[in-house]
Amino acid sequence: MTGEVETPLALPLRQVLDEKAAKRLERALSVQTVAELLAHLPRRYAKRGERTRIADLVEDEYATVVATVISCESNPMRNRRGSLTRAVIGDGHDTLQLTFFNQPWRANELVPGAVGMFSGKVGRYGTNLQLTQPDYRLLADDEDAVAAAADWGAGRLLPIYPATAKLRTWDIAEQVQLVLERVPELPDPVPERLRHERGELSFDAAVRAIHQPANEQQVVAAQQSLRFTEALELQTVIAQQRASTRARVATARIRASDGLTARFDAALPFALTGDQQRVGETIAHDLAADAPMYRMLQGEVGSGKTLVAVRAMLQVAESGGQSALLAPTEVLAGQHLRSIQHTLGPELTRQLGVRLLTGSLGRRERQRTMLDLVTGDAKIVVGTHALLSEGVEFADLGLVVVDEQHRFGVEQREMLRRKGGAADPHTLVLTATPIPRTVAMTVFGDLEVSTLRELPAGRGEIESFVVATSEHPGWLGRVWQRTAEEIGRGRQAFVVCPAIDPAEVRAEAGEGRPIANVVEVLEYLQRLPEFARMRLAPLHGAMDAAEKDAMMREFAAGDIDLLVATTVIEVGVNVPNASVMVVLDADRFGVSQLHQLRGRVGRGEHSGLALLVTGAPPGSLARERLDAVAATLDGFVLAERDLELRSEGDVLGTAQSGGASSLRLLRVTRDTDIIAAARAEAERIVAADPTLAEHPALRDAVARLGSGEREHLQMG
């Protein structure tokens, strides 16, 4: 090894392994450094004599099984030249077929009774699972032979790594062993005092134990130590971000006792809920400080988040400041504009110069809006990414409201923040997706979190049902009859599809697999006699912004009875007269998405009906998710249940940027206490040592977090 580096973890693999091995690892696993390879952890361990459960294999995934050869034979192929070798392996309960083309010599190796590790992509031949052209390594049947033939697993548990078609689990294990033999002791990001207090292995001992454990107890101890290491690294990034935020300066926006907010409250035709009053006072206090507010407002669908945001905008306007509401789509921006105008009333709307700025705005109207922003005449603007455009400037941007903030990247939010001038604007993030506490601590730790649970009085109930067409094909006809009945009573309905047209379906899933799409479903419904005299229309992302907005206006005005749409109607659409939500192929949507969609109905005096249509078989994970949605209207209960049913990678990934989760061993459903303890320690460390000068190993670990991980953990 050559070259000086601060830590062995930063060493390029090319300095530790030979060039060929390093290139293979980079191509197959996208790892280039010692730290990246050692972070590629075994997903399980095999013991001598253990057989992997074949019943747990998943079709189309790469898998490695430890199993016994039951039979193997090689025969000429009937319809073409060459031979076909088929072997059957088993785990004592189920069997798996191995298939090799033109490799008859395999039958000499795969003799009945032989034990091996078999690796490949799981496919299906008829009703049976199979591996085609798999890689394998035979394991001798006694201890001494195992030690001689498989040095990488001799006398120990055998690590089974996530592998690829070109890099097998035993190849990865051999390279990891070489790296661990060649690097010196790995520095520990966790202070020695803290490690001792917690009774945990050092980082070096934990990494070596998790890759080369002598027994299961070592695995457990290593995992516990590495979970806390991971939690402390993540929480340190968040603690530094919070410290940076507190060091910034904002203009205090003090609410006047007889100002715009008081005037607005006095004119409200209804009383604020207790939650709205409580959260409103918290936000008012934040806005009156000279440090920028960074607060997330989470609330059930229909809990009144927009009303709370409007009151905050009024407080900013009282001091001459401006507010910008950033929405992810033009449809949603238009909905927000109309909602704010309706909430404020004509007089306040004019006084505050409420404006809209989107990409489809005409040139003259766009220039007028930009002029009103730079002069300060527009105190409230609602917009899309167009607000981030060059040339859009504010006279005194005091508050940024971000709706459904996981749809915006950190850089985009930062661009809008910088338009505020010398002082930072306050930031209020709105989300209708309830965030479990552990996710809030892990992903949104730099945000203070407020919650609206109460729903305003006068809303109708929502009933939810799973329509299982795999068991009851005739039920779909009843869905359309029930929908037509509701429309016949003067109500309106949504039908949601996962795709827009047949071409999209074919591109996504291949020929022969029907997926509901807007074009075909609309044509089908228009032919049904139940809808013969009703007004049906499409709404989807491929339509231009003006067309989408016009369609939503017509639907809101009652000129359209049934809207066949994609998830563009998921958030923010407010049509109190809509009472039916039919979601086709509902198993293709996430739990939170279904909860959002369901929240589009029952928003007025009429009860809502949500029908989740699925062909997913009973007992499947997809069906379990749908049953969970139908069982409760409590979004916070669903958020916790969603975490249990989905991988943390999915949950954390979509929470901010849609990327992959940075979590390896830490699990937000299980490790609440570890995350909370790491958060407290990180706060203490950063408060005493902001640059981590006295904690070089922790400083280096935080620096190694890639831009993807940092984007998950930073707000601005």
Side-chain angles (χ1 to χ4, degrees):
M1 291 179 285
T2 59
E4 294 185 5
V5 292
E6 294 183 11
T7 166
L9 288 165
L11 280 169
L13 287 174
R14 292 167 188 262
Q15 292 186 24
V16 184
L17 302 171
D18 64 65
E19 185 81 7
K20 183 178 178 181
K23 281 184 177 179
R24 285 187 70 197
L25 289 166
E26 182 176 351
R27 282 196 300 265
L29 303 178
S30 298
V31 297
Q32 297 180 344
T33 66
V34 168
E36 290 170 346
L37 178 61
L38 296 182
H40 189 78
L41 302 180
R43 53 184 172 85
R44 66 179 192 85
Y45 302 86
K47 294 182 291 187
R48 192 178 78 80
E50 179 187 57
R51 306 294 183 267
T52 302
R53 281 175 54 86
I54 290 172
D56 293 337
L57 296 180
V58 178
E59 192 174 348
D60 292 331
E61 287 190 1
Y62 285 96
T64 299
V65 298
V66 179
T68 301
V69 177
I70 297 173
S71 65
C72 184
E73 61 180 22
S74 182
N75 297 296
M77 287 188 280
R78 293 180 181 178
N79 300 322
R80 55 177 170 163
R81 296 175 60 183
S83 64
L84 180 64
T85 302
R86 284 201 176 105
V88 176
I89 60 175
D91 61 4
H93 300 281
D94 299 282
T95 60
L96 179 68
Q97 183 170 280
L98 311 179
T99 302
F100 302 91
F101 295 99
N102 300 319
Q103 299 177 29
W105 51 270
R106 298 286 188 184
N108 298 326
E109 292 186 349
L110 299 174
V111 296
V115 179
M117 298 178 68
F118 303 88
S119 183
K121 187 175 183 180
V122 181
R124 186 174 293 278
Y125 180 75
T127 59
N128 300 317
L129 291 178
Q130 72 168 6
L131 301 180
T132 302
Q133 305 283 96
D135 292 307
Y136 60 83
R137 174 171 290 191
L138 296 179
L139 305 175
D141 200 29
D142 60 82
E143 294 267 352
D144 294 337
V146 168
D151 289 341
W152 60 275
R156 298 173 180 268
L157 298 175
L158 306 180
I160 309 295
Y161 289 90
T164 69
K166 295 184 178 180
L167 195 67
R168 301 159 298 186
T169 181
W170 48 83
D171 295 324
I172 298 170
E174 288 172 351
Q175 299 308 320
V176 168
Q177 177 174 323
L178 285 174
V179 167
L180 289 176
E181 289 172 353
R182 295 172 181 177
V183 297
E185 181 177 350
L186 304 174
D188 197 338
V190 178
E192 185 177 359
R193 166 197 60 80
L194 189 52
R195 206 60 108 176
H196 180 72
E197 289 175 1
R198 294 181 58 82
E200 294 176 343
L201 297 175
S202 70
F203 182 71
D204 181 82
V207 169
R208 295 177 190 276
I210 205 163
H211 286 289
Q212 299 176 324
N215 51 52
E216 292 176 349
Q217 289 72 29
Q218 276 197 1
V219 174
V220 172
Q223 289 176 339
Q224 185 71 8
S225 173
L226 294 176
R227 283 191 190 105
F228 186 77
T229 305
E230 189 174 4
L232 184 67
E233 291 172 3
L234 298 178
Q235 291 299 328
T236 299
V237 173
I238 294 170
Q240 288 182 318
Q241 180 63 26
R242 281 197 297 267
S244 173
T245 298
R246 287 193 288 264
R248 292 172 174 168
V249 176
T251 301
R253 309 289 177 173
I254 300 170
R255 186 169 66 189
S257 59
D258 57 350
L260 292 171
T261 311
R263 178 174 145 199
F264 172 78
D265 288 348
L268 279 176
F270 52 82
L272 298 173
T273 67
D275 277 358
Q276 287 172 335
Q277 291 176 344
R278 175 182 53 79
V279 172
E281 288 306 310
T282 301
I283 291 174
H285 180 268
D286 287 351
L287 293 175
D290 57 8
M293 172 182 73
Y294 275 78
R295 183 168 294 277
M296 173 187 286
L297 176 56
Q298 60 171 348
E300 283 285 12
V301 175
S303 59
K305 296 181 294 297
T306 303
L307 179 62
V308 172
V310 166
R311 295 179 77 242
M313 293 175 183
L314 288 170
Q315 181 170 335
V316 170
E318 288 179 6
S319 64
Q322 297 165 287
S323 298
L325 191 158
L326 187 58
T329 67
E330 295 206 4
V331 168
L332 189 49
Q335 286 281 316
H336 273 306
L337 177 74
R338 289 188 287 276
S339 177
I340 290 172
Q341 290 172 333
H342 176 74
T343 302
L344 291 174
E347 187 178 343
L348 272 178
T349 295
R350 282 193 302 272
Q351 182 178 340
L352 296 171
V354 180
R355 297 284 185 267
L356 177 71
L357 187 61
T358 65
S360 64
L361 212 60
R363 180 170 171 271
R364 179 175 296 180
E365 193 172 354
R366 177 184 178 85
Q367 288 179 335
R368 177 191 164 206
T369 298
M370 290 172 63
L371 179 62
D372 288 344
L373 290 177
V374 79
T375 60
D377 290 342
K379 294 294 187 286
I380 295 176
V381 61
V382 180
T384 57
H385 295 79
L387 283 172
L388 311 175
S389 303
E390 188 176 347
V392 177
E393 299 293 340
F394 293 81
D396 182 15
L397 182 58
L399 173 64
V400 174
V401 180
V402 184
D403 190 35
E404 294 303 318
Q405 102 331 319
H406 63 270
R407 303 187 186 200
F408 296 96
V410 171
E411 290 183 5
Q412 293 168 314
R413 296 191 295 265
E414 179 71 8
M415 286 172 64
L416 187 55
R417 187 183 68 79
R418 287 198 297 265
K419 291 179 181 290
D424 273 29
H426 300 280
T427 300
L428 179 63
V429 167
L430 308 179
T431 179
T433 304
I435 309 296
R437 189 173 74 92
T438 45
V439 174
M441 283 195 298
T442 306
V443 180
F444 306 112
D446 55 334
L447 293 168
E448 300 298 329
V449 180
S450 294
T451 302
L452 296 178
R453 283 183 175 270
E454 290 180 77
L455 295 179
R459 285 184 174 264
E461 293 292 319
I462 303 176
E463 290 186 294
S464 303
F465 299 96
V466 176
V467 181
T469 56
S470 58
E471 301 140 81
H472 307 281
W475 282 8
L476 187 57
R478 179 58 186 144
V479 166
W480 303 131
Q481 291 173 3
R482 185 73 182 82
T483 302
E485 289 169 5
E486 280 293 303
I487 295 175
R489 295 190 182 106
R491 320 278 187 262
Q492 291 165 275
F494 294 101
V495 176
V496 175
C497 306
I500 296 174
D501 57 39
E504 182 184 355
V505 170
R506 284 192 293 273
E508 181 180 347
E511 294 282 358
R513 183 183 173 196
I515 299 174
N517 62 87
V518 172
V519 171
E520 292 182 327
V521 169
L522 179 60
E523 292 174 352
Y524 172 74
L525 294 181
Q526 287 172 331
R527 292 195 300 267
L528 290 181
E530 293 98 318
F531 300 103
R533 298 183 179 180
M534 297 178 185
R535 299 156 296 181
L536 283 58
L539 182 67
H540 52 75
M543 300 163 64
D544 65 53
E547 191 177 6
K548 284 186 290 189
D549 193 55
M551 201 68 73
M552 274 311 308
R553 284 175 178 271
E554 287 185 52
F555 188 68
D559 296 331
I560 295 172
D561 297 310
L562 185 149
L563 212 51
V564 183
T566 56
T567 53
V568 294
I569 55 96
E570 176 187 346
V571 177
V573 173
N574 184 28
V575 182
N577 191 48
S579 63
V580 182
M581 169 64 67
V582 179
V583 184
L584 300 176
D585 289 324
D587 49 281
R588 297 180 66 83
F589 301 96
V591 169
S592 61
Q593 255 191 324
L594 292 170
H595 185 56
Q596 295 292 328
L597 289 168
R598 174 174 57 186
R600 298 308 104 207
V601 298
R603 300 175 70 87
E605 58 182 306
H606 310 301
S607 296
L609 176 65
L611 302 174
L612 311 177
V613 181
T614 179
S620 64
L621 178 61
R623 184 68 170 275
E624 196 174 347
R625 286 165 46 229
L626 296 181
D627 290 339
V629 174
T632 181
L633 291 172
D634 190 325
F636 295 92
V637 171
L638 278 178
E640 296 290 350
R641 184 65 177 138
D642 198 19
L643 269 182
E644 296 169 11
L645 294 172
R646 297 167 61 192
S647 73
E648 275 82 356
D650 290 339
V651 174
L652 298 181
T654 57
Q656 281 251 52
S657 65
S661 168
S662 63
L663 299 190
R664 296 183 294 272
L665 286 173
L666 202 63
R667 294 293 177 265
V668 294
T669 53
R670 176 195 62 207
D671 298 326
T672 306
D673 293 342
I674 292 176
I675 293 170
R679 180 185 175 97
E681 290 295 341
E683 283 284 359
R684 280 193 282 270
I685 290 171
V686 171
D689 182 18
T691 63
L692 303 179
E694 297 176 14
H695 300 81
L698 179 58
R699 180 195 62 214
D700 292 343
V702 167
R704 280 193 303 274
L705 285 177
S707 59
E709 286 88 344
R710 283 184 169 276
E711 181 155 323
H712 284 303
L713 298 169
Q714 294 182 24
M715 175 59 202

